[in-house]
Amino acid sequence: MIEFDKNKKIFNISNGSISYFIYVNSEGILENLYFGKFTDKINLEKRIKKQDNYSTQYYDKKENVEKMFADKFSVKHSLFEIGFHNGGDNRPAPIIVQKNNGMYDTNFKYISHKIYQGLPIFKSDEPHLTGGNAETLEITLKDEFSDVVLIYNLSIMLDKDIIVKNFILKNDGSNNINILRAFSGQLDLNSRKYKVHHFYGNWGNERNEEVNNVLVGEQVISSNYGRSSHEHNPFIFLTKNGANFTIGEVIGFNLVYSGNFKYSIFSDYTNTTRISWGINDYDFNWILEPENIFVTPQAVISYSKNGIDEMSHNFHSLIKENLIQYKKEADYKSILFNSWEGCTFNFSTKSIKDYATAAKEIGAELFVVDDGWFGHRNDDHSSLGDWFVNENKVNLKEVEIHVHSLGMKFGLWFEPEMISFDSDLFKKHPEYAVGLYREHPILQRSQLMLDLTNDEVIDNICCQMVRILDSIKIDYIKWDMNRDIKEHFIERLGKNHQGEMLHKYVLGYYKLIGKICKKYPDIMIEGCASGGGRFDLGTLYYCPQIWASDISKPSTRMFINFNTSLGYPLSTVGTHINNSEETSYEEKGMLSLFGTFGYEMNPLKLTEIDKKEINNIAEFYRKNHKDLFENGTLYHLVSPTKNNYMVMQVVNKTKDHSCLIVVKKEGTINKTLKLRGLDFKSTYKNDHTKYNGQDLMENGFEFKMNKPGVEIKLFDFKK
Ligand code: GLA
């Protein structure tokens, strides 16, 4: 429900579980009166904790006198919806625009609003949330100093505690304006007693959790890698007063975007916190011509009054129900065999067919030929950009027919955004590559970026992909991206438009992948960027799952999968069993169940015992995946961040089946853990022992693990 009290000028935004009150103050500035758990009472007078006369004063030019703002708001202390740039609000502003006369000051003031059912309709096909179970408040504001109009969209989901925000900038003037920062949202909080949790890492070591207090000053969490990055994920959250998985206030944040992002978390002596976030303003400068608009990606807030897991559940259902657009319900249940770790570039028609036959024997349902099938690619120094089959190496049609004849689906690897020096495409179109302006063009994995800001390049790659997809029956694509954008210059864009390059690249990526998704609705695309370098809400719009990391060894994967699943559903977390020697195939399979399940190994080298173990776990997956891991509820019991082990639990909707996974990195464990989400009154059986639901939840389940090194256990509870 969104209501506007005309007399008090207060918007009341609520879904019965959370409330958000916004006040249009005497100056037309939007103040955040309250955001948090449901309340129907709001006290306008008490809204400012601290105030000094200096920051509430102004000069009335008409009357020639000093005055106080009518409702005593303070430019320095009040909580705002859109901080203003200059004019006394010294906290970071979400929007910075330089006008034609050179002025940076902005102050967006209320003009009008409308309230409607559903989420905002996006005219373009850029990633966005969809679905009717929401209400939206659209407020139109105008800059005090120019003809820049700002549309502020704020939606509340009615069935989950999620707020969605974004801004649209409109140039209603007759001169160009420079947008120097166009964030998507801001949230001012009335306290700084929060801890900030964010996820950092690098290749093969994604999503380690870092926790710190809200700092006095500004903390920035961002990517300037050109993609959302391994180094920092756009999902972060704040916990208050020692909140844990089940207790306390938690506010989660994310952004529907795959490129450079930035969070600014700011606090000062007022003990309030301002979080503002969106497209990174690093090397960003967008020239907005008259009558044009700039639409920022959607910013998402998940609110929980009952701990971290409730915040996760909001995100999980939002992603599954409102974000993923393509192949939502589809083939990601298939057990995936990927050829990469087994044979890398070294295969022939015969050997890859043998792989497929052997993969079938361990229960694979989707066989994927990874890198190395195209151009003349036998290592990573060539052929990106040449998306035609390397006929000298492999008869792909024959492989496809073989795979399909075994009753498996067939998938192929592409890395559509890249170009190798050693490629036909580079010989013909060197201008398609980014970065040649340098004396020593910078390589990463021997490759350069393609200029996806150019429609001609998008069309070229799209046509090449279409030719393959129309000649070979393909059910799945792994869409990879193996380098950062290290160059921020494309001459073709012109000297005044270099600050648009990075965002235009992201829009180009969306255009290209969107074209393929639309033309081939039956093909499922899995995202990948050297593992989890682009694990974000922008990519999930197109790809219902993303390969979470190139490292599958459980001692690292336990962190990656646990932490990723705090913000993203298990069904999106690409996880395979590989031949890491840390533990048995059966145990590695248990970890893969808590993800998208698949294999990554040489299947011809497996022993009969290995095969048996893999088949057993595959059987468990087939029987239980949908009910338990995909549609069930995930609980986080023990975080690996400060422990030598982690524990996750899934419970199906009817609460008659639950699975607990414990992954131990080292040492021993002797613990009693309280389970969650079970039926109090029911009896559950695990390994021939009966347990009472209430007992498991109130007194806990006792287990021991004392094998040296890595050990994984799965406890299966059935009513
Ligand atoms: C990246 C991916 C891997 C694999 C290779 C192929 O590193 O993350 O899974 O596909 O590329 O070159």
Side-chain angles (χ1 to χ4, degrees):
M1 166 211 79
I2 302 180
E3 283 173 350
F4 184 55
D5 183 329
K6 276 194 191 128
N7 298 323
K8 292 187 181 153
K9 298 211 163 126
I10 294 177
F11 291 102
N12 177 359
I13 301 148
S14 177
N15 61 7
S17 167
I18 54 172
S19 292
Y20 198 160
F21 287 93
I22 296 173
Y23 172 50
V24 185
N25 75 16
S26 57
E27 288 288 299
I29 295 165
L30 302 181
E31 287 187 43
N32 172 349
L33 295 185
Y34 174 88
F35 173 68
K37 68 177 177 196
F38 178 80
T39 176
D40 47 9
K41 289 184 200 71
I42 201 75
N43 191 335
L44 203 53
E45 302 312 312
K46 285 195 183 156
R47 72 192 195 277
I48 307 165
K49 287 202 295 198
K50 277 197 191 127
Q51 220 171 30
D52 56 57
N53 285 344
Y54 300 118
S55 65
T56 58
Q57 272 180 339
Y58 74 100
Y59 192 73
D60 190 317
K61 286 200 281 194
K62 275 190 212 135
E63 294 180 20
N64 240 349
V65 284
E66 281 182 18
K67 281 190 178 170
M68 304 276 272
F69 287 121
D71 48 13
K72 293 208 173 77
F73 82 93
S74 156
V75 289
K76 224 166 153 178
H77 303 92
S78 294
L79 305 182
F80 295 122
E81 283 298 290
I82 305 157
F84 37 104
H85 191 66
N86 302 335
D89 181 8
N90 295 79
R91 297 162 286 185
I95 307 282
I96 305 178
V97 176
Q98 187 183 26
K99 269 77 73 162
N100 192 45
N101 62 0
M103 181 203 270
Y104 294 106
D105 293 20
T106 51
N107 192 8
F108 290 107
K109 296 192 168 190
Y110 174 91
I111 301 286
S112 64
H113 75 267
K114 59 183 184 193
I115 295 167
Y116 58 85
Q117 293 294 316
L119 288 157
I121 306 288
F122 270 59
K123 292 207 180 81
S124 63
D125 189 37
E126 284 153 42
H128 60 278
L129 298 155
T130 58
N133 214 359
E135 274 191 75
T136 297
L137 167 62
E138 180 191 300
I139 305 178
T140 302
L141 305 106
K142 192 182 156 302
D143 180 26
E144 182 183 339
F145 312 105
S146 70
D147 291 319
V148 180
V149 168
L150 186 73
I151 314 277
Y152 174 26
N153 290 316
L154 192 162
S155 311
I156 183 161
M157 303 301 297
L158 302 178
D159 56 354
K160 38 185 108 62
D161 291 343
I162 293 273
I163 298 285
V164 183
K165 298 184 171 198
N166 86 321
F167 295 120
I168 300 172
L169 277 152
K170 257 171 92 183
N171 184 355
D172 275 358
S174 46
N175 295 303
N176 288 353
I177 55 167
N178 281 351
I179 306 175
L180 302 176
R181 178 186 295 162
F183 281 175
S184 300
Q186 171 182 322
L187 186 68
D188 280 2
L189 298 166
N190 207 11
S191 161
R192 71 175 170 86
K193 294 259 174 287
Y194 287 94
K195 287 202 186 302
V196 180
H197 301 240
H198 94 274
F199 300 93
Y200 72 96
N202 59 337
W203 174 84
N205 181 27
E206 294 88 343
R207 278 172 286 292
N208 299 282
E209 188 184 26
E210 169 77 1
V211 187
N212 58 266
N213 292 328
V214 167
L215 308 174
V216 176
E218 186 181 15
Q219 179 181 6
V220 169
I221 297 164
S222 67
S223 160
N224 60 359
Y225 295 82
R227 52 184 176 183
S228 50
S229 86
H230 297 84
E231 286 73 6
H232 303 279
N233 195 268
F235 157 60
I236 69 162
F237 64 95
L238 265 55
T239 50
K240 197 174 186 184
N241 293 337
N244 59 26
F245 287 117
T246 53
I247 294 168
E249 183 179 270
V250 181
I251 311 175
F253 300 84
N254 211 331
L255 185 71
V256 186
Y257 195 58
S258 306
N260 286 352
F261 68 88
K262 174 171 166 182
Y263 282 85
S264 154
I265 302 162
F266 178 90
S267 187
D268 59 15
Y269 74 100
T270 62
N271 289 331
T272 59
T273 306
R274 170 170 296 172
I275 298 122
S276 48
W277 74 113
I279 297 174
N280 198 341
D281 53 3
Y282 183 89
D283 284 354
F284 178 87
N285 179 355
W286 192 276
I287 295 184
L288 195 66
E289 291 177 359
E291 290 172 37
N292 281 355
I293 60 169
F294 184 86
V295 182
T296 67
Q298 285 173 318
V300 189
I301 302 169
S302 165
Y303 183 83
S304 162
K305 47 194 174 299
N306 298 311
I308 297 166
D309 271 346
E310 195 171 283
M311 176 231 22
S312 298
H313 296 159
N314 292 332
F315 276 136
H316 292 173
S317 63
L318 184 81
I319 291 168
K320 289 200 265 193
E321 291 159 19
N322 305 96
L323 180 69
I324 295 171
Q325 295 298 310
Y326 295 98
K327 287 301 251 181
K328 236 184 189 155
E329 296 295 336
D331 302 343
Y332 51 99
K333 290 119 203 167
S334 304
I335 298 179
L336 194 163
F337 182 96
N338 181 294
S339 66
W340 176 247
E341 290 190 26
C343 61
T344 63
F345 302 99
N346 308 312
F347 55 86
S348 62
T349 309
K350 177 170 180 326
S351 74
I352 205 82
K353 277 168 71 182
D354 289 347
Y355 258 49
T357 310
K360 174 78 185 174
E361 282 173 26
I362 47 168
E365 295 158 343
L366 161 62
F367 183 82
V368 180
V369 177
D370 205 278
D371 200 348
W373 57 268
F374 54 92
H376 58 276
R377 186 147 161 117
N378 291 313
D379 56 39
D380 58 14
H381 296 280
S382 83
S383 303
L384 294 169
D386 293 350
W387 299 107
F388 49 83
V389 179
N390 182 353
E391 306 280 359
N392 293 329
K393 178 173 180 177
V394 62
N395 182 336
L396 209 59
K397 184 82 196 160
E398 194 180 316
V399 177
E400 175 249 302
I401 291 170
H402 177 70
V403 170
H404 281 129
S405 76
L406 290 168
M408 291 190 288
K409 293 185 174 122
F410 183 60
L412 215 49
W413 180 94
F414 285 90
E415 194 179 356
E417 300 160 67
M418 300 291 158
I419 185 164
S420 309
F421 275 103
D422 181 6
S423 65
D424 291 1
L425 189 68
F426 187 81
K427 276 180 205 116
K428 211 164 157 203
H429 289 293
E431 77 281 8
Y432 284 6
V434 177
L436 296 183
Y437 62 90
R438 286 173 179 267
E439 192 187 340
H440 299 295
I442 298 172
L443 295 174
Q444 184 175 329
R445 210 186 184 209
S446 306
Q447 62 201 53
L448 294 170
M449 306 292 308
L450 275 172
D451 174 6
L452 290 195
T453 69
N454 183 353
D455 279 345
E456 189 186 311
V457 178
I458 293 177
D459 289 345
N460 181 305
I461 297 298
C462 188
C463 284
Q464 291 196 56
M465 291 181 76
V466 164
R467 231 172 282 140
I468 293 284
L469 301 176
D470 283 351
S471 60
I472 298 175
K473 191 179 167 339
I474 285 163
D475 309 289
Y476 160 105
I477 290 172
K478 178 168 166 191
W479 186 296
D480 211 339
M481 189 233 195
N482 282 311
R483 66 163 281 172
D484 306 322
I485 307 181
K486 300 174 196 291
E487 309 83 0
H488 297 180
F489 180 67
I490 294 176
E491 197 169 3
R492 191 185 48 80
L493 292 173
K495 90 169 190 248
N496 295 326
H497 297 276
Q498 295 307 320
E500 297 169 12
M501 179 209 146
L502 293 165
H503 182 55
K504 281 190 169 156
Y505 177 87
V506 179
L507 298 181
Y509 157 54
Y510 292 151
K511 207 181 222 176
L512 179 56
I513 193 168
K515 276 180 182 227
I516 299 294
C517 283
K518 280 211 186 100
K519 193 164 164 55
Y520 301 97
D522 291 333
I523 295 180
M524 200 264 279
I525 306 185
E526 173 158 8
C528 176
S530 309
R534 201 160 55 181
F535 205 114
D536 56 61
L537 299 185
T539 294
L540 285 171
Y541 181 81
Y542 305 97
C543 306
Q545 64 193 47
I546 301 174
W547 181 228
S549 177
D550 276 348
I551 294 299
S552 299
K553 67 174 195 284
S555 59
T556 306
R557 262 301 179 129
M558 61 191 270
F559 291 86
I560 296 168
N561 285 20
F562 187 97
N563 290 333
T564 303
S565 71
L566 292 170
Y568 305 90
L570 288 180
S571 63
T572 65
V573 185
T575 307
H576 296 166
I577 307 171
N578 79 346
N579 58 6
S580 134
E581 286 171 2
E582 284 186 344
T583 183
S584 67
Y585 281 106
E586 188 187 7
E587 292 195 7
K588 286 179 288 191
M590 293 169 185
L591 184 55
S592 185
L593 289 172
F594 283 71
T596 60
F597 202 79
Y599 312 133
E600 194 87 39
M601 73 224 0
N602 181 346
L604 302 168
K605 285 202 174 148
L606 296 169
T607 65
E608 288 310 311
I609 296 172
D610 297 338
K611 285 188 202 164
K612 197 158 175 262
E613 284 185 14
I614 295 176
N615 268 315
N616 284 345
I617 201 89
E619 180 67 18
F620 186 87
Y621 171 85
R622 265 191 295 271
K623 274 200 197 133
N624 300 299
H625 177 65
K626 207 173 165 106
D627 185 46
L628 210 49
F629 300 96
E630 199 179 300
N631 296 331
T633 307
L634 173 69
Y635 298 99
H636 298 90
L637 270 55
V638 179
S639 160
T641 300
K642 285 190 180 155
N643 297 292
N644 62 341
Y645 70 111
M646 69 87 157
V647 187
M648 294 195 275
Q649 184 199 352
V650 282
V651 182
N652 71 350
K653 283 217 163 83
T654 49
K655 298 188 174 196
D656 51 24
H657 193 183
S658 175
C659 244
L660 188 75
I661 188 169
V662 186
V663 184
K664 171 176 76 70
K665 198 176 168 192
E666 65 213 346
T668 57
I669 322 175
N670 188 352
K671 286 271 167 205
T672 305
L673 272 187
K674 288 181 188 167
L675 303 196
R676 312 244 307 272
L678 300 176
D679 188 3
F680 256 52
K681 293 197 180 100
S682 298
T683 304
Y684 292 87
K685 210 162 110 180
N686 163 249
D687 217 9
H688 309 297
T689 310
K690 286 185 180 164
Y691 300 87
N692 171 266
Q694 183 169 6
D695 201 36
L696 285 172
M697 290 176 53
E698 287 181 352
N699 299 320
F701 170 68
E702 203 188 324
F703 65 92
K704 286 191 185 115
M705 284 163 76
N706 45 24
K707 237 167 65 177
V710 171
E711 185 180 359
I712 305 178
K713 273 194 175 167
L714 189 77
F715 300 99
D716 191 33
F717 294 90
K718 273 194 173 145
K719 228 186 207 180

